[in-house]
Structure formats: structure tokens, C-alpha cells
Amino acid sequence: DTGVSQDPRHKITKRGQNVTFRCDPISEHNRLYWYRQTLGQGPEFLTYFQNEAQLEKSRLLSDRFSAERPKGSFSTLEIQRTEQGDSAMYLCASSKDRGRSRTDTQYFGPGTRLTVL
Amino acid sequence: DQQVKQNSPSLSVQEGRISILNCDYTNSMFDYFLWYKKYPAEGPTFLISISSIKDKNEDGRFTVFLNKSAKHLSLHIVPSQPGDSAVYFCAASSGNTPLVFGKGTRLSVIA
């Protein structure tokens, strides 16, 4: 049973650099979510995909952030010109869409911890 | 505006006793509620969920109770074990929208 995987697990970068994270969802899951978690807070929604379509973006997702899911499988989250405030745990989750009226259970990966110096 | 609130940042319970974690929400459109458990440096692990058409759901040692009129849900763990020590997050959703999480409650089960 392979769960959601994320790579890398840790990333340390200098302010102003670009970083890219990868998420591989559970294989039969067509929905993929990105969240961000900072110390003392719960995960906060950033964006999500249904297959390859990006359906919603949070206002937390500034124009320095971009996410893709080109073939409806894995996804990447890129942060350009990183700032110290971007330091956080970036979490990916996936789920299987069961239809509009039913909320699907999301399963999370281990996260990528980003530290911007 | 915090739509999901976990007002107790921490809770300590003796091993073998019951742990009760509470969660309040403000959005009456929420129709699905979940509890996740999180260890340090790991992602949240799904524990149990409940739909708004139910008031109770049980899975082994874990039971979630939902009181829609009070906009309140609780997670009961009985008996509590040292391995249950973690941060517990309450989350809610409406009509398959992305999850809204509380800030979490740190549970410590003391042997």
C-alpha cells in the first residue's frame, strides 16, 4: 500500500531563490490538494486539482506560487523568489472524488519542510 | 475569522482513562467533519470522520460525536494509550470543498 509521497522532505534555501516540491498521490485518487502549515496553526488550503485541472486557489497563493499537475498524476508546487515568510511545512493530500454531494476523505503525505534563510 | 476552533491547545490524560477533544465550528454549511492525528515532522493521519446526517460514529477506541444545534463535535479516545500522544486536528468541509482545519490540540497520555 503506497500512500502519498512528497519530495524532498526538507529544503533549506536562501531568500530570493526558487524552490520546487513534488507530490505523488495515491494512485487511484483523482483529487490532489496542497496545504501549508506554520507553527501553532492547522494546515491551510492553498490549491487543489481534479485530474489535471486546477479548480481552486486560495488567496494565500500569491503570484510567486504556481502549481501544476500536467498529466493528472503527480503535482509540483513552485515558489519563486522565496521570502522568509514562506518558511513552513508544505503538505500534499489526495482523495478519490465520490461525486459532488459527498465530501471525500483526504490522505496526507509526510510534508516538505521549507526553511528560507 | 476562524471557522473551526479548537479552544484547548493542550490536554493531559492518564493512561487508561478517557481523552475528550473538543471542536466548535461557525459555518452551518459544513456537512462533513474529520479528525486527524499528527506526530512531529509527519503529515496528518486520518483517524475518523462523521457526516452531518449522523450524530455519532465509532471506530475501535475512537468515537466522534456531532451536535449540529450547538455546532460542536468531540473526539473520545478510550482507553487512552501513550502512543495516542500527538496533536489532534479537527477539520470540516461543505459540499466537497477543501478542508478547513482548527489549530489543533496537543494530547499527552501519561503512563
Side-chain angles (χ1 to χ4, degrees):
Chain A
D1 174 27
T2 54
V4 179
S5 61
Q6 292 186 246
D7 185 69
R9 294 291 305 274
H10 305 274
K11 179 70 178 179
I12 299 174
T13 191
K14 292 183 178 178
R15 186 163 49 98
Q17 298 293 306
N18 299 343
V19 294
T20 300
F21 310 141
R22 176 179 169 126
C23 171
D24 287 88
I26 294 170
S27 59
E28 67 268 23
H29 286 185
N30 57 350
R31 286 196 165 208
L32 186 148
Y33 302 79
W34 286 99
Y35 292 83
R36 180 173 70 186
Q37 185 178 16
T38 54
L39 198 62
Q41 302 293 320
E44 295 174 292
F45 167 73
L46 292 178
T47 188
Y48 88 95
F49 294 83
Q50 174 137 340
N51 301 311
E52 65 275 9
Q54 189 172 16
L55 294 188
E56 188 174 341
K57 292 193 285 188
S58 160
R59 52 195 167 92
L60 290 177
L61 210 68
S62 77
D63 56 6
R64 296 185 297 105
F65 288 68
S66 62
E68 293 183 344
R69 194 182 184 199
K71 296 182 180 178
S73 57
F74 72 92
S75 174
T76 58
L77 177 68
E78 181 183 16
I79 309 174
Q80 296 183 326
R81 305 180 303 281
T82 52
E83 301 172 356
Q84 288 183 326
D86 297 331
S87 296
M89 173 79 86
Y90 289 84
L91 293 162
C92 176
S94 71
S95 68
K96 186 171 185 178
D97 182 26
R98 299 185 294 163
R100 283 187 186 178
S101 62
R102 302 184 65 184
T103 298
D104 40 357
T105 298
Q106 296 177 29
Y107 296 89
F108 283 80
T112 294
R113 178 162 296 284
L114 172 66
T115 302
V116 181
L117 301 175
Chain B
D1 175 31
Q2 209 179 342
Q3 297 185 72
V4 177
K5 298 178 185 179
Q6 294 177 257
N7 292 320
S8 298
S10 62
L11 174 69
S12 289
V13 172
Q14 205 77 21
E15 181 180 5
R17 306 295 290 269
I18 185 170
S19 296
I20 300 176
L21 296 100
N22 294 304
C23 178
D24 297 294
Y25 61 96
T26 57
N27 188 342
S28 56
M29 297 299 291
F30 286 145
D31 60 6
Y32 195 66
F33 304 88
L34 308 91
W35 285 94
Y36 287 85
K37 173 181 177 180
K38 188 178 185 300
Y39 294 117
E42 294 184 11
T45 301
F46 170 70
L47 271 179
I48 192 168
S49 62
I50 188 167
S51 163
S52 60
I53 61 173
K54 295 185 176 181
D55 54 18
K56 177 182 174 181
N57 189 26
E58 192 172 353
D59 184 3
R61 296 186 298 115
F62 302 93
T63 303
V64 56
F65 295 92
L66 175 62
N67 182 334
K68 289 188 292 294
S69 61
K71 294 192 180 68
H72 177 84
L73 64 155
S74 60
L75 174 68
H76 293 208
I77 306 173
V78 57
S80 301
Q81 300 172 353
D84 296 330
S85 297
V87 178
Y88 289 78
F89 290 99
C90 169
S93 175
S94 65
N96 223 353
T97 57
L99 297 175
V100 179
F101 283 83
K103 291 188 176 184
T105 296
R106 180 177 301 279
L107 173 66
S108 299
V109 180
I110 304 161

